Every structure is written in C-alpha cells, then in structure tokens.
C-alpha cells in the first residue's frame, strides 16, 4: 500500500482531533447560553457543562493511558508530553470544581470559559507539535492505536453513563 494511502487513513491523531472539534463546539454553545436571559438557560448550562466535563475526562484518560505513553517511547523530545500532562492536571482541577459546584452562577460560567481557554491552548499544541511528531514516528502504528483509543473511549463513556444513571 502506498504511503500516501496510509497517511489519509483515520489514525489515533484524527480520533483525538475529532474529540477536540466536538468539545470546541460544545464550548461555543455554552458561551451562547451565557448570553441568554431565559430561565431554562441555567439548567441547560449545567447539563452542557456536565457533558463537556465527561467528554474531557474520558479524552484525557485515553490520552494518558494509551497515546502519551506510546508517544513517550517513540520520540526523543518528551518536554511536550510533560507539558501536556501538567495541562491535563490543571484541566482536571477545573473539571472537579465545575462538577462539584452547587450553583450555576457567574463563577461557574467563568470556570467553564477558562476551561475552554485551557483546552484551546492544549489543542493547538497537540495539533501543531505533538500530532506531527506522532505521525513522523516510525515506531508508532497510529492506525492500530486508533482502534485501541476508540474501544477504551467506548468503555469509559459506558462506565460514566452508568455512574450518572
């Protein structure tokens, strides 16, 4: 199979990036809700914030369990991975604050918006630096890893759905 065909196949990076796009859209929806005066906006914001937090928690976990360790073994420059893990820790702290919040107030909105800004920064680094390095690493089978990430993500989403039901 020619290399050009392989490169266009969905790989681990494209799966992770699909998550990025989905969550970015959710953050935009949240920002629109912050402008609403409707009484129902508060519950919609709470529900959307919970959904964002679930998506990000699962995304971070599959990166930390599968993608980052494989990439750490395959590339020399691991500073980028160290930074990504610190960014995950900051995001997890904000996620916990959002999930534990009893009121959907201005502070709640601020936390969700700042989380969105953290994630934007994180995504830019992954897209601009980490994904190109992963795709250039000959030791990584990103097509196979995509399947691993996908299966683990499905398991975690099912677990989290069961925990909130």
């Amino acid at each position: 199979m020619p290399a050009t065909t392989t490169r266009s196949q969905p790989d681990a990076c494209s799966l992770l990036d699909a998550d990025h796009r989905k969550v970015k859209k959710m953050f935009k929806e949240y920002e629109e809700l912050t402008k609403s005066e409707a009484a129902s906006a508060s519950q919609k914001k709470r529900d959307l914030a919970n959904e964002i937090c679930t998506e990000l928690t699962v995304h971070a976990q599959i990166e930390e369990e599968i993608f980052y360790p494989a990439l750490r073994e395959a590339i020399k420059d691991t500073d980028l991975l160290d930074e990504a893990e610190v960014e995950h820790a900051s995001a997890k702290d904000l996620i916990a604050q959002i999930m534990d919040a009893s009121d959907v107030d201005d502070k709640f909105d601020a936390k969700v918006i700042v989380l969105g800004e953290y994630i934007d920064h994180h995504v830019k680094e992954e897209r601009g630096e980490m994904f190109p390095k992963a795709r250039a690493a000959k030791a990584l089978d990103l097509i196979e890893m995509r399947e691993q990430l996908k299966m683990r993500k499905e398991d975690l989403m099912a677990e989290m759905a069961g925990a909130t039901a």
Side-chain angles (χ1 to χ4, degrees):
M1 183 181 289
T4 53
T5 307
T6 305
R7 180 145 302 197
S8 65
Q9 282 185 298
D11 63 9
C13 299
S14 51
L15 178 132
L16 295 171
D17 209 35
D19 285 354
H20 295 158
R21 286 189 305 277
K22 179 179 183 182
V23 171
K24 182 160 184 76
K25 185 178 175 191
M26 293 164 75
F27 277 116
K28 282 184 178 171
E29 288 174 36
Y30 190 92
E31 283 194 49
E32 287 302 311
L33 285 172
T34 64
K35 299 170 189 166
S36 173
E37 299 292 324
S40 62
S42 182
Q43 187 58 48
K44 287 179 183 172
K45 286 194 293 188
R46 167 93 267 172
D47 293 345
L48 188 54
N50 289 348
E51 194 178 342
I52 289 168
C53 290
T54 298
E55 289 287 334
L56 290 175
T57 299
V58 169
H59 179 84
Q61 190 166 340
I62 65 174
E63 282 186 335
E64 291 169 4
E65 288 179 3
I66 299 167
F67 187 68
Y68 291 173
L71 192 54
R72 192 173 286 280
E73 284 185 27
I75 65 171
K76 290 181 176 69
D77 178 15
T78 57
D79 289 351
L80 196 59
L81 289 160
D82 294 339
E83 287 176 31
E85 289 173 358
V86 170
E87 289 167 358
H88 277 200
S90 297
K92 286 177 188 176
D93 181 50
L94 262 179
I95 288 168
Q97 290 178 45
I98 291 165
M99 296 301 283
D100 291 343
S102 54
D103 295 325
V104 178
D105 54 14
D106 291 342
K107 279 269 204 240
F108 185 88
D109 287 346
K111 288 174 184 177
V112 175
I113 288 165
V114 168
L115 179 61
E117 291 167 357
Y118 275 7
I119 299 307
D120 270 351
H121 170 79
H122 181 72
V123 167
K124 281 183 182 116
E125 288 190 344
E126 284 190 347
R127 280 185 185 154
E129 298 178 54
M130 194 179 295
F131 292 171
K133 287 180 181 186
R135 286 180 169 136
K138 295 184 184 355
L140 288 178
D141 182 348
L142 294 174
I143 307 295
E144 170 59 31
M145 187 189 296
R146 179 183 190 280
E147 292 307 309
Q148 293 172 344
L149 290 168
K150 186 178 170 204
M151 289 183 353
R152 183 64 178 134
K153 181 179 176 182
E154 288 169 3
D155 289 347
L156 290 169
M157 291 301 265
E159 281 176 29
M160 291 190 86
T164 57

